[in-house]
Amino acid sequence: MEILLEELYKTDIYVDKFHFRKVFLDSFSYQINGITQSGKTKIVKNYLLGLKKNSYLYINCRDLRIEIDALNSVLQNFCTQNQIATLVLDNYIDDIKIVNVPQLILCSETHHDMEFLKSIRVYPLDYEEFLAYEHKYDSSALNHFLQLGGFPFMHKVNSDERVYHLQKALKDTLDEKELEILIFCAKMMTQKISPYSIYERLKQTQKISKDKLYKSFDELCEKGYIHQMQKADHPKAIRKIYLCDISLKSALTIEKHFGRLFENMIYLELLKSGRDCFYDDGVDFYIPDESEVVLATPFADERALFKKIEAIESFIIRYQVKKITAVTMSKEGSVNHPFSRIEMVPFDIWALGD
């Protein structure tokens, strides 16, 4: 195993054109969590390139040449003898023992309970990060975002191969049951659905254990492939389901529904900005900290929006909502209302506004 570590130590790290991300690493020790292909490895390698070559060791724990017991027996010694200041364990698993180094960086889908590590969550690209991949920013950028989604690798794959690349990445990472659940959730994106409902639907076509399904569903949520949103002031109510990236919709199902895709896209921008939001009947997103309601209305005009506002007027009054933002594809304007300030804002302007 020392021979392998020596080889990894001497191997030059390469990063193909790093683009702007909203994650910054410094001298702290980190635990970096995120789904497959979200960009964890590239962020870490770009950081390592700013260090002295002989000061770090990068290990991909999925390397088939690694024998866990042998690695655990020699890793601490190797780091000490070579004065390793920064050790990176990518695709980390619990079986690998933590060693004592000045800076430790772990990357994995699943969060590990290690209080001495600073935790960072890496999501697929948000819209602002996506624009760094665009040759020029014009009206076509939003259409590209709708086509590609937030996985950085999609920009390097030919259009006729993107679906298969994403499917392969998911197959390589998720077990069979997790993938089946994810496919079903792709069909039900932005809908109110419970794990029990998923179980009831899947058991009609296959033999499945309810306990196993619940466990797999929880793991998908913990890893970040599926997100759930609570109903305002009703924590026990059925939650709405959102996908980790809009590209999964076309990769896992042939069903088309632009309104749901657009709503999921808005949810992800809110999620990545760290804003807590909730839903209610007729209310897509309620943000209590900002006393704001955000509505997904890709093609609405002033008349249609006013009718939608009328339907949720009791919610607006009850929660004293001060601002209503209707996110659209391109429509911009405002609507008069006695209780709240109402604005129609195109997605590209809204997503870059904060």
Side-chain angles (χ1 to χ4, degrees):
M1 192 53 59
E2 292 95 335
I3 296 173
L4 176 59
L5 291 179
E6 193 67 41
E7 178 186 329
L8 296 176
Y9 182 48
K10 291 178 179 178
T11 300
D12 290 330
I13 284 177
Y14 175 74
V15 175
D16 179 27
K17 193 177 181 183
F18 185 75
H19 292 84
F20 163 79
R21 296 299 305 266
K22 295 179 180 177
V23 174
F24 176 77
L25 303 183
D26 51 26
S27 59
F28 288 101
S29 289
Y30 293 96
Q31 174 175 191
I32 304 176
N33 303 122
I35 63 172
T36 185
Q37 302 296 326
S38 57
K40 304 185 298 296
T41 297
K42 202 165 186 179
I43 289 170
V44 170
K45 285 187 173 181
N46 184 69
Y47 169 72
L48 293 179
L49 288 176
L51 306 178
K52 290 183 179 180
K53 173 66 181 74
N54 62 355
S55 69
Y56 63 80
L57 174 63
Y58 171 85
I59 301 175
N60 184 347
C61 300
R62 286 184 180 168
D63 192 325
L64 296 178
R65 299 171 294 176
I66 291 178
E67 297 176 7
I68 301 298
D69 291 340
L71 178 65
N72 286 336
S73 67
V74 301
L75 184 56
Q76 180 66 74
N77 251 1
F78 185 89
C79 291
T80 302
Q81 291 173 4
N82 291 278
Q83 297 182 321
I84 300 298
T86 301
L87 172 64
V88 175
L89 297 175
D90 200 357
N91 296 304
Y92 174 76
I93 56 175
D94 281 325
D95 293 337
I96 297 177
K97 292 181 180 177
I98 298 301
V99 299
N100 185 22
V101 289
Q103 182 182 30
L104 175 66
I105 301 176
L106 305 184
C107 299
S108 67
E109 286 196 320
T110 305
H111 182 80
H112 300 273
D113 188 16
M114 299 181 184
E115 294 182 358
F116 59 93
L117 297 177
K118 187 175 181 180
S119 292
I120 291 179
R121 169 69 65 172
V122 175
Y123 297 102
L125 306 172
D126 66 16
Y127 185 62
E128 185 177 2
E129 291 173 322
F130 175 87
L131 291 178
Y133 286 78
E134 293 288 282
H135 297 298
K136 59 180 180 177
Y137 172 50
D138 57 21
S139 58
S140 66
L142 180 54
N143 289 330
H144 290 168
F145 190 53
L146 286 163
Q147 293 168 15
L148 302 181
F151 287 109
F153 80 93
M154 295 286 256
H155 293 261
K156 298 180 181 179
V157 180
N158 294 330
S159 58
D160 62 331
E161 299 176 343
R162 286 172 186 152
V163 165
Y164 307 111
H165 272 257
L166 184 49
Q167 288 177 352
K168 183 179 185 304
L170 294 172
K171 286 179 180 178
D172 290 345
T173 304
L174 304 176
D175 65 33
E176 184 179 351
K177 198 56 60 187
E178 289 173 333
L179 188 56
E180 288 173 355
I181 295 171
L182 187 60
I183 291 171
F184 181 78
C185 289
K187 296 175 181 177
M188 302 300 294
M189 182 175 71
T190 76
Q191 302 300 291
K192 291 179 282 188
I193 188 167
S194 66
Y196 180 75
S197 299
I198 299 174
Y199 166 71
E200 285 290 301
R201 292 288 291 274
L202 292 183
K203 79 172 187 178
Q204 295 175 12
T205 57
Q206 58 187 279
K207 187 176 181 180
I208 185 171
S209 158
K210 184 163 66 173
D211 290 341
K212 171 63 176 173
L213 184 139
Y214 278 34
K215 181 180 179 182
S216 296
F217 181 84
D218 288 342
E219 287 176 352
L220 284 171
C221 292
E222 182 184 350
K223 293 174 183 176
Y225 286 92
I226 295 172
H227 300 283
Q228 298 183 86
M229 186 169 64
Q230 290 184 19
K231 186 174 183 179
D233 291 332
H234 292 80
K236 293 184 179 180
I238 297 177
R239 301 182 180 188
K240 293 180 77 173
I241 294 287
Y242 293 91
L243 300 181
C244 60
D245 191 70
I246 58 173
S247 62
L248 267 64
K249 179 69 172 175
S250 57
L252 299 178
T253 176
I254 60 173
E255 297 175 3
K256 306 291 183 185
H257 196 301
F258 185 79
R260 294 180 186 177
L261 193 75
F262 193 72
E263 181 183 336
N264 202 127
M265 193 163 69
I266 292 173
Y267 171 81
L268 292 174
E269 290 293 320
L270 292 170
L271 173 73
K272 295 169 188 177
S273 67
R275 285 178 277 185
D276 291 327
C277 52
F278 304 85
Y279 80 90
D280 205 291
D281 297 334
V283 176
D284 296 325
F285 307 103
Y286 168 54
I287 310 171
D289 291 345
E290 300 173 22
S291 189
E292 180 181 5
V293 163
V294 176
L295 302 174
T297 56
F299 305 114
D301 56 18
E302 286 84 352
R303 181 178 296 180
L305 177 59
F306 191 80
K307 288 184 178 180
K308 191 171 179 66
I309 298 300
E310 279 187 325
I312 62 171
E313 204 164 75
S314 60
F315 181 92
I316 295 170
I317 296 171
R318 182 165 77 252
Y319 288 93
Q320 298 183 339
V321 175
K322 296 178 181 177
K323 180 181 179 182
I324 299 173
T325 303
V327 183
T328 68
M329 278 295 291
S330 58
K331 187 75 173 179
E332 192 169 2
S334 60
V335 176
N336 292 324
H337 192 275
F339 302 116
S340 303
R341 180 163 56 93
I342 305 173
E343 295 181 349
M344 302 175 71
V345 185
F347 176 86
D348 53 356
I349 295 175
W350 174 78
L352 300 176
D354 296 320

